[in-house]
């Protein structure tokens, strides 16, 4: 293996994932993520699939590098994949439902630290005219946006770096946040990152075992609800998820039924110059969403206002500065704080695949995401919109009583939102967002140390560091 020296250093998110897996006491709680591509057409030749993938590795450095070392010594090193080991075939008997069972078992397979942390399994024989491609990887090496890029590179049309589906369009890698923006964003982040112990219960202590469940809905319903509510489809997805959790919690987890619900959401910070680079180019951000009993349309209006700050270019500039320029000691404190059980909570992510995928003459009809749920996290949900279908993967701690009902509750909440998105509703003005602080209002940091951090972030551009040896 040779040292790779042109990629950004491993990020805090990469190291959080490494530490999270070290804490896992069962394979269900590992940090493996991925997708299942469902294709219609003849089952392909395995040797041809291996050749197809190998021919595209030069454009996918995230498939040819491993994370080596820990702490300040962590770095990316190159490692050549062995196609015979990384890509294999498996017959699946028992019909379409057997695919999910097969995926659950494959998720538990251990990985090799010295080999690139990805694998692909050609699943076949479960349907008369079709097959599935299961792609799995380690979350310390790839994030969800990277997986979308990998799939578009392997099975989509040729694309320029700026044409991939999930690259952020409003976070310049060289921008510098203003002092005021740095203060506002930092204070907002610290206000939500607190110990809440919402998911700690003596009667139902969290475990390392997971339900792994999927649910699919028509993407048109999310889009119509978003237009009617003046929101994004991500807002609609989050609203339905929070609504489902509060409905479940009324009977099964009362402490989460009436109060606000802290949720961890990834904010994508990957730019075109970082296409397919290994590692996580995201900021895992805590937001507090409205709980309690309320109409689902009212919940959408409130969530739309709360998530608006996450979409601003100024806020992303602060997050990129923190991601790429924080001193190592602060990075280590961030890693440690992010894995405290009393602070962990629900994780929710949402991705869109805009390119139509195929392998040869076989077309991809649906994509099911695969989320991870590390130790201390009660549940993690990832949704991926592709074509006419949005599919969600629910990884839920089995200690939560009755939580396997969440996928059906989520579908019902989305159906309710879509039903309410009538032409009359859609033409009504969108609810006004929550008021931002007045421009003349001073934002005073709580401590001198925090003030120094805010000033430091504002003085740094967001160009990622590169390790030189």
């Amino acid at each position: 293996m040779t040292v790779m020296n042109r990629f950004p250093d491993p990020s805090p998110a990469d190291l959080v994932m490494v530490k999270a897996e070290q804490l896992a006491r069962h394979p269900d709680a590992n940090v493996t993520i991925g997708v299942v591509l469902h294709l219609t057409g003849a089952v392909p030749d395995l040797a041809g699939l291996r050749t197809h993938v190998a021919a595209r590795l030069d454009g996918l450095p995230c498939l040819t590098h491993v994370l080596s070392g820990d702490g300040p010594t962590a770095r990316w090193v190159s490692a050549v994949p062995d196609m015979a080991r990384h890509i294999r075939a498996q017959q699946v008997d028992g019909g379409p439902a057997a695919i999910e069972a097969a995926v659950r078992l494959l998720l538990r397979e251990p990985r090799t630290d010295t080999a690139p942390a990805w694998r692909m399994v050609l699943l076949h024989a479960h349907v008369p005219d079709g097959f599935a491609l299961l792609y799995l990887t380690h979350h310390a090496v790839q994030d969800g946006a990277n997986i979308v890029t990998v799939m578009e590179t392997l099975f989509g049309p040729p694309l320029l770096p700026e044409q991939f589906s999930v690259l952020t369009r409003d976070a310049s890698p060289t921008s510098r946040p203003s002092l005021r923006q740095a203060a506002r964003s930092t204070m907002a982040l610290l206000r939500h990152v607190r110990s809440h112990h919402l998911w700690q219960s003596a009667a139902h202590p969290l475990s390392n075992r997971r339900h792994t469940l999927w649910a699919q809905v028509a993407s048109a319903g999310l889009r119509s609800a978003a237009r009617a509510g003046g929101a994004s489809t991500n807002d609609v997805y989050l609203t339905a998820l929070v609504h489902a959790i509060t409905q479940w919690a009324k009977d099964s987890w009362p402490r989460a039924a009436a109060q606000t619900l802290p949720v961890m959401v990834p904010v994508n910070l990957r730019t075109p110059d970082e296409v397919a680079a290994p590692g996580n180019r995201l900021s895992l951000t805590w937001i507090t969403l409205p709980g309690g009993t309320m109409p689902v349309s009212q919940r959408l209006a409130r969530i739309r206002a709360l998530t608006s700050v996450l979409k601003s270019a100024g806020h992303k500039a602060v997050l990129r500065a923190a991601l790429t320029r924080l001193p190592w000691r602060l990075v280590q404190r961030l890693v440690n704080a992010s894995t405290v059980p009393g602070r962990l909570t629900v994780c929710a992510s949402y991705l869109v695949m805009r390119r139509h995928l195929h392998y040869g003459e076989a077309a991809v009809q649906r994509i099911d995401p695969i989320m991870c749920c590390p130790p201390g996290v009660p549940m993690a949900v990832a949704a991926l919109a592709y074509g006419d279908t949005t599919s969600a993967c629910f990884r839920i701690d089995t200690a939560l009583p009755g939580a396997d009902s969440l996928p059906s509750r989520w579908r019902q909440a989305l159906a309710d939102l879509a039903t309410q998105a009538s032409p009359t509703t859609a033409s009504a003005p969108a609810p006004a967002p929550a008021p931002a602080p007045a421009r003349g209002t001073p934002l005073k940091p709580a401590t001198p140390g925090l003030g120094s951090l805010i000033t430091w972030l504002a003085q740094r551009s967001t160009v990622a560091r590169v390790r030189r040896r």
Side-chain angles (χ1 to χ4, degrees):
M1 294 191 298
T2 58
V3 175
M4 177 60 173
N5 67 351
R6 61 184 175 88
F7 291 137
D9 291 343
S11 72
D14 303 334
L15 304 179
V16 166
M17 293 302 171
V18 171
K19 182 172 182 179
E21 184 156 272
Q22 292 170 350
L23 297 174
R25 298 295 178 263
H26 188 276
D28 278 0
N30 64 26
V31 294
T32 299
I33 58 175
V35 288
V36 184
L37 307 184
H38 298 269
L39 297 95
T40 300
V43 178
D45 173 68
L46 184 58
L49 179 61
R50 288 169 174 163
T51 300
H52 175 86
V53 173
R56 287 157 177 78
L57 288 180
D58 285 346
L60 296 170
C62 57
L63 301 190
T64 59
H65 289 79
V66 297
L67 182 60
S68 176
D70 193 15
T73 66
R75 64 192 186 278
W76 299 113
V77 297
S78 63
V80 179
D82 179 354
M83 292 295 104
R85 292 178 55 194
H86 281 78
I87 303 178
R88 70 181 198 266
Q90 179 174 317
Q91 182 170 320
V92 180
D93 297 319
I99 282 286
E100 294 186 3
V103 170
R104 292 186 187 99
L105 290 176
L106 290 166
L107 273 170
R108 295 178 177 176
E109 287 187 351
R111 65 183 181 89
T112 303
D113 290 338
T114 57
W118 65 272
R119 61 192 187 275
M120 184 178 292
V121 184
L122 168 61
L123 302 170
H124 62 95
H126 58 290
V127 291
D129 181 27
F131 60 96
L133 292 175
L134 168 65
Y135 176 79
L136 298 174
T137 187
H138 193 278
H139 208 332
V141 183
Q142 293 183 44
D143 54 25
N146 224 344
I147 290 175
V148 170
T149 297
V150 169
M151 293 299 103
E152 290 184 335
T153 301
L154 294 180
F155 305 113
L159 298 173
L160 297 174
E162 64 272 13
Q163 293 178 318
F164 288 95
S165 291
V166 291
L167 295 174
T168 184
R169 312 297 185 202
D170 51 4
S172 167
T174 59
S175 62
R176 178 176 294 177
S178 67
L179 180 61
R180 183 175 185 80
Q181 181 65 63
R184 179 171 294 159
S185 296
T186 303
M187 295 298 288
L189 293 172
L190 295 178
R191 185 163 56 247
H192 297 301
V193 181
R194 67 184 190 279
S195 295
H196 49 78
H197 304 285
L198 185 65
W199 302 105
Q200 293 182 309
S201 166
H204 303 285
L206 296 182
S207 71
N208 277 238
R209 301 299 300 270
R210 304 288 182 260
H211 295 295
T212 304
L213 306 166
W214 286 269
Q216 292 82 34
V217 296
S219 297
L222 279 83
R223 292 192 291 266
S224 62
R227 287 193 298 269
S232 68
T233 51
N234 186 25
D235 293 335
V236 173
Y237 156 68
L238 278 177
T239 297
L241 179 60
V242 172
H243 201 73
I245 292 172
T246 56
Q247 293 293 307
W248 159 78
K250 283 192 299 184
D251 298 322
S252 302
W253 204 271
R255 63 195 307 174
Q259 58 181 297
T260 56
L261 185 68
V263 177
M264 295 185 289
V265 296
V267 177
N268 177 32
L269 302 173
R270 192 177 293 271
T271 53
D273 62 313
E274 297 165 347
V275 167
N280 290 261
R281 310 305 296 168
L282 57 82
S283 174
L284 197 58
T285 302
W286 277 252
I287 56 175
T288 302
L289 301 180
T293 301
M294 69 180 70
V296 67
S297 57
Q298 179 183 344
R299 198 183 304 277
L300 174 60
R302 293 181 60 182
I303 286 179
R304 181 183 72 88
L306 290 168
T307 61
S308 60
V309 64
L310 303 181
K311 305 165 188 173
S312 73
H315 184 65
K316 288 184 178 182
V318 174
L319 295 181
R320 278 193 62 89
L323 177 74
T324 61
R325 304 299 297 179
L326 279 180
W328 175 251
R329 289 185 180 179
L330 286 177
V331 170
Q332 188 61 52
R333 291 183 66 179
L334 175 62
V335 171
N336 292 336
S338 298
T339 51
V340 174
R343 185 173 287 131
L344 295 174
T345 187
V346 176
C347 295
S349 63
Y350 177 80
L351 296 165
V352 179
M353 184 89 71
R354 294 183 171 85
R355 310 297 174 186
H356 290 289
L357 307 185
H358 64 92
Y359 177 60
E361 298 298 320
V364 176
Q365 303 298 325
R366 191 181 88 224
I367 303 177
D368 293 330
I370 298 172
M371 185 59 154
C372 67
C373 187
V377 175
M379 68 185 79
V381 187
L384 191 153
Y386 172 77
D388 296 332
T389 303
T390 295
S391 180
C393 174
F394 291 74
R395 301 295 302 276
I396 307 169
D397 195 316
T398 58
L400 304 183
D404 55 350
S405 67
L406 283 169
S408 61
R409 294 177 186 271
W410 174 73
R411 279 197 303 261
Q412 184 59 53
L414 285 174
D416 293 343
L417 280 168
T419 299
Q420 295 173 24
S422 64
T424 302
T425 304
S427 62
R439 290 188 178 273
T441 304
L443 294 173
K444 298 180 180 179
T447 66
L450 179 56
S452 299
L453 173 61
I454 292 170
T455 303
W456 193 91
L457 285 171
Q459 291 174 346
R460 295 299 188 274
S461 74
T462 61
V463 176
R465 292 171 295 171
V466 177
R467 189 181 299 281
R468 300 294 183 188
R469 298 193 69 198

